[in-house]
Amino acid sequence: MPKALLKTKLRNVRTRRTSHAISDTYDQILAVAEQEFANSGYNGTSLEVIARRTGIRKASLFHHFTSKRKIFDAVVRRIFDQLVSIGRETAQIENPREHLLAIAGRLHDFIASHPNHARLLMHRVLEDPASVRRSSEVFIKPLVVEMAKLVVRGIEMGVIRNTDGPITLTLIALAIPILPYSFAPVVEACTGIEVFSPESIAVIRSQVLHRMEILLSP
């Protein structure tokens, strides 16, 4: 093999390996940061802890993110991106009522399988409401608007009740699957029940869908 071609192949291999290493470290930083922010909130989380738990130096952290705010925003953006995808996953369901029930079920499953998410979002609401407002306008509002359109269509078809405004009903529908997990520490302290156990998750899911049925029923 000509030396020039061999050098090119080796350079491409090194580039791919370096790219994978960067991607892996980036994902590890976000995973560790998500847990730290969920446990301690934004103000209680330090870059030193994130770097140490990721297995890198703090200086190396700045190769990926220039500030704690950038890390936090990336963590929240990843959560919001996944939330928005729930609406796309159910887009093929034609009946508006069944469509909304499917969204509620998938939203529940997403929150229940990611224990940090509900706590992190709750910290964010309490610590930085202005930032939450900005993020919600970009990431959450489109989902709310699409769900509200489903409510309007369902009312017109007679399969959804016409007692609440479409936006109000949509916001209630989004809150029902999220709230039990947002208050998990309170529930566990008061009842001794482990909210994220498989048994509790199954019960909560059943309750969520039952409440949604009542909420939407004409």
Side-chain angles (χ1 to χ4, degrees):
M1 180 181 293
K3 289 185 178 180
L5 181 58
L6 178 60
K7 288 181 179 179
T8 299
K9 286 182 174 293
L10 289 174
R11 184 165 59 250
N12 289 340
V13 169
R14 284 196 295 268
T15 301
R16 287 196 298 271
R17 286 176 179 170
T18 302
S19 176
H20 286 310
I22 291 173
S23 176
D24 290 345
T25 302
Y26 180 91
D27 290 339
Q28 289 171 8
I29 291 170
L30 291 185
V32 170
E34 178 185 300
Q35 187 172 21
E36 289 299 319
F37 287 131
N39 291 337
S40 305
Y42 179 83
N43 295 329
T45 297
S46 71
L47 292 176
E48 289 82 359
V49 171
I50 293 175
R52 185 172 67 251
R53 288 198 54 208
T54 304
I56 61 176
R57 295 176 301 165
K58 183 179 176 181
S60 301
L61 196 63
F62 289 110
H63 286 299
H64 301 275
F65 299 97
T66 56
S67 66
K68 183 168 73 168
R69 171 58 62 182
K70 294 292 186 182
I71 300 176
F72 189 77
D73 288 345
V75 168
V76 174
R77 189 178 303 114
R78 188 165 65 166
I79 295 174
F80 281 154
D81 285 343
Q82 294 174 79
L83 287 175
V84 171
S85 72
I86 290 173
R88 294 194 294 266
E89 292 169 1
T90 57
Q92 76 284 357
I93 302 175
E94 295 184 2
N95 183 292
R97 182 167 170 275
E98 296 302 319
H99 193 166
L100 288 168
L101 287 170
I103 290 175
R106 282 172 169 77
L107 178 58
H108 167 273
D109 296 343
F110 172 72
I111 295 295
S113 61
H114 297 82
N116 291 328
H117 288 4
R119 287 186 296 154
L120 190 150
L121 293 174
M122 183 62 68
H123 273 302
R124 185 170 171 79
V125 169
L126 295 174
E127 292 180 340
D128 194 358
S131 178
V132 171
R133 181 186 179 92
R134 291 192 298 271
S135 298
S136 296
E137 287 177 349
V138 175
F139 296 103
I140 301 300
K141 186 176 180 179
L143 176 61
V144 171
V145 170
E146 288 304 312
M147 289 178 66
K149 290 178 181 178
L150 289 175
V151 172
V152 171
R153 190 154 64 90
I155 291 172
E156 293 172 349
M157 294 171 60
V159 296
I160 293 177
R161 68 171 63 195
N162 188 17
T163 56
D164 301 300
I167 296 294
T168 299
L169 191 148
T170 296
L171 293 174
I172 294 172
L174 286 172
I176 287 174
I178 295 174
L179 287 178
Y181 299 103
S182 297
F183 291 95
V186 176
V187 174
E188 291 173 351
C190 294
T191 66
I193 297 172
E194 185 182 348
V195 171
F196 285 96
S197 70
E199 296 79 12
S200 294
I201 288 173
V203 170
I204 293 172
R205 192 182 202 280
S206 176
Q207 293 173 343
V208 164
L209 294 179
H210 178 65
R211 290 188 175 92
M212 282 292 298
E213 288 271 9
I214 295 173
L215 178 68
L216 298 176
S217 295

